[in-house]
Amino acid sequence: MYSKENWDATLFILIFAIVGALFTSLVFKVDIDTFFNYIPLQTLTFLIFMDIFIKILVKDKVFEYMTIQLIHITHVNIRLLFYLLCIASALISGIMEDVSVALIFNPIIFRATKILKIETKPFIMGITSSILIGNLLTPFATPVSIVIASGFDLNMGWYFKYFSILFVLLLGTSLFLIDKFFIKKLPSPSDKDVQILMVIMDPEYVIVNKNRFIRLIIYLVILVICIAFNILPFMVVSFITIFTLLVERIKFDKVLKTANWNLLFLYCGLFILIGCMIENGTIDMIQDGLSFIIGGNLIIAMLIILIVGSLLASFVSKSLTSIIFIAIISTLFLESFTNSVDQTLLILALTIAILIGGNMVPQASSFILFTIQLAKTEKVPSLTYQSFKKEMSKFSVLSVSITIIYYILLAFILKLL
């Protein structure tokens, strides 16, 4: 729907939301204020404050420093560097928006591989896969993750319990395959090129104010600890962001201009639109049709969510798909799947469908489009739209297949316990 670059997704969603709210209010006699009650203000507040804090860290090149340090730690051992960069990008994507992670890692990779005279594509595909898989680490990894976590009241402990093993399995499989078929075949860079890279990419060059740099790292560590142990994450993010602005004397009006307000308005429109669908009975009609097809069978329900969710997330919208399925699954809980194990498995299926399966085409993830544009600028012919489309289709199918097998086994184990 709004995967086409020349369409303004937010504008169209807001128009549809306003028209839908007016139509539903007039035809179904629903008070107009009802639709605004569907907007989760706490979730959207978290999104904005987290976005502001991450932008401060990115501006001061905290993550860029860490990435360049990895190059020096590995002494440009190609395979070791590949694994460390991919693991680091996966971990960072657990707390940072995908585009920001790509903005940190990909330019450094393009520069490093050009200096070392080695192929760029295996590293970029490894980083891309790692970023997507890293979204499974926390309920705050992406805006969609936050919406799903908010919709089902999920916390960090829940994500660790049900996604930690799958995270290791998917990341390990992806990196192993890329290493086996691409990285191992790369020639070792010459000592001269390594020395040039070490001089050009000195981590100390990125630090402007050392004291402030250290303080920002301390703020980040505190935030990560609070998120990891689920210590009032929404309050902590807001407090740390405001505290950082005050202590570091960063002008609030300038920071507000850089915040992702487009995302905020997009989600407001989506939630109002879903409120309309709930109030006018559209969600109930969809749910009734799915209930008839599913027939109370958990495996069929999981497969439908995984397959249909992946397709809709890839070719329509991850955000819209997640909100629609949250409403549908919540109704299924009340009628067909009252067992807590069944409910958990359905939530897992939805999360995987959106975050992992919903990447069959480059348009599904804005950071991939950014990477394609960067590759074009850097004149890397092996990283085109078509090559990404081919590789991401393979990634989605492989990852969803592994996930289906894993969750069928998990369902069997949980039913026995």
Side-chain angles (χ1 to χ4, degrees):
M1 182 174 67
Y2 51 82
S3 59
K4 296 182 179 180
E5 296 178 14
N6 59 332
W7 284 25
D8 189 329
T10 302
L11 179 61
F12 277 90
I13 288 296
L14 285 173
I15 291 173
F16 288 141
I18 293 169
V19 173
L22 291 173
F23 175 81
T24 304
S25 177
L26 292 172
V27 176
F28 295 90
K29 309 300 180 184
V30 179
D31 188 78
I32 200 71
D33 291 339
T34 302
F35 303 110
F36 293 97
N37 293 331
Y38 285 96
I39 301 175
L41 294 179
Q42 187 184 56
T43 300
L44 297 183
T45 302
F46 178 91
L47 279 172
I48 288 298
F49 276 104
M50 189 68 168
D51 181 63
I52 291 173
F53 181 68
I54 292 300
K55 278 185 168 60
I56 294 171
L57 297 179
V58 171
K59 185 177 180 181
D60 279 73
K61 300 184 178 181
V62 172
F63 298 104
E64 184 176 339
Y65 173 85
M66 296 177 181
T67 305
I68 295 174
Q69 276 286 16
L70 290 178
I71 295 175
H72 283 255
I73 290 171
T74 60
H75 299 289
V76 198
N77 179 313
I78 296 300
R79 293 184 66 196
L80 180 59
L81 179 61
F82 168 75
Y83 278 101
L84 287 184
L85 285 174
C86 290
I87 292 171
S89 63
L91 294 176
I92 293 175
S93 70
I95 60 169
M96 186 188 296
E97 193 179 1
D98 294 350
V99 174
S100 298
V101 182
L103 191 61
I104 293 164
F105 281 86
N106 289 349
I108 293 175
I109 290 173
F110 278 110
R111 285 159 54 197
T113 52
K114 184 176 290 186
I115 294 171
L116 296 174
K117 299 180 179 65
I118 58 175
E119 190 178 355
T120 307
K121 183 178 179 179
F123 284 89
I124 293 297
M125 296 313 302
I127 293 293
T128 301
S129 301
S130 300
I131 290 173
L132 294 172
I133 295 169
N135 290 338
L136 298 175
L137 279 176
T138 73
F140 316 109
T142 68
V144 173
S145 302
I146 296 171
V147 169
I148 294 174
S150 176
F152 295 112
D153 194 25
L154 309 177
N155 56 36
M156 187 67 193
W158 189 92
Y159 266 70
F160 180 79
K161 181 179 180 180
Y162 292 108
F163 282 129
S164 55
I165 295 176
L166 183 63
F167 167 78
V168 173
L169 186 62
L170 290 179
L171 186 63
T173 303
S174 297
L175 298 189
F176 171 77
L177 291 175
I178 296 173
D179 180 25
K180 179 178 176 62
F181 292 106
F182 299 101
I183 299 297
K184 276 187 178 180
K185 298 177 182 179
L186 295 177
S188 298
S190 67
D191 292 338
K192 180 182 177 181
D193 290 336
V194 171
Q195 289 302 318
I196 293 173
L197 179 66
M198 290 295 191
V199 172
I200 293 176
M201 290 192 176
D202 188 334
E204 298 301 322
Y205 290 164
V206 304
I207 301 177
V208 178
N209 185 325
K210 191 168 186 179
N211 290 331
R212 171 168 162 162
F213 188 86
I214 293 172
R215 288 195 300 271
L216 289 175
I217 291 178
I218 293 172
Y219 304 152
L220 176 62
V221 171
I222 293 172
L223 177 62
V224 171
I225 291 173
C226 290
I227 288 177
F229 291 95
N230 199 41
I231 304 173
L232 299 173
F234 290 89
M235 291 294 294
V236 169
V237 168
S238 302
F239 175 78
I240 288 181
T241 302
I242 294 172
F243 181 81
T244 303
L245 292 173
L246 291 173
V247 173
E248 304 305 330
R249 298 181 181 180
I250 302 172
K251 291 186 177 181
F252 192 52
D253 58 337
K254 289 186 177 181
V255 173
L256 286 178
K257 291 178 182 178
T258 65
N260 195 350
W261 296 106
N262 182 68
L263 184 67
L264 180 68
F265 285 111
L266 173 64
Y267 274 99
C268 284
L270 286 172
F271 278 109
I272 291 174
L273 196 57
I274 295 303
C276 295
M277 296 174 70
I278 292 174
E279 295 295 333
N280 63 30
T282 303
I283 293 294
D284 288 335
M285 291 174 59
I286 297 173
Q287 190 271 329
D288 290 340
L290 285 176
S291 295
F292 177 77
I293 296 172
I294 292 168
N297 187 302
L298 176 64
I299 301 300
I300 293 177
M302 289 176 62
L303 289 175
I304 287 176
I305 292 172
L306 278 168
I307 296 171
V308 176
S310 296
L311 291 172
L312 289 177
S314 294
F315 297 99
V316 181
S317 162
K318 290 183 179 181
S319 302
L320 183 60
T321 303
S322 64
I323 297 173
I324 290 175
F325 270 94
I326 287 170
I328 293 171
I329 292 175
S330 297
T331 307
L332 285 175
F333 282 2
L334 298 176
E335 296 184 2
S336 303
F337 302 101
T338 56
N339 184 282
S340 61
V341 173
D342 294 348
Q343 294 175 359
T344 297
L345 291 168
L346 292 178
I347 296 172
L348 293 172
L350 174 61
T351 307
I352 291 297
I354 303 295
L355 299 180
I356 303 298
N359 297 288
M360 294 181 181
V361 292
Q363 299 99 314
S365 297
S366 54
F367 86 92
I368 295 179
L369 292 177
F370 160 77
T371 304
I372 293 172
Q373 185 59 44
L374 184 60
K376 186 177 180 181
T377 303
E378 295 290 337
K379 298 179 181 179
V380 181
S382 60
L383 289 171
T384 62
Y385 176 89
Q386 290 301 326
S387 66
F388 261 100
K389 184 177 180 180
K390 180 180 178 181
E391 298 302 330
M392 294 320 299
S393 296
K394 291 179 182 178
F395 169 80
S396 295
V397 172
L398 175 64
S399 298
V400 171
S401 299
I402 292 173
T403 301
I404 290 173
I405 296 171
Y406 174 77
Y407 282 136
I408 288 176
L409 293 174
L410 181 63
F412 179 74
I413 293 170
L414 291 176
K415 291 287 186 180
L416 291 178
L417 297 178

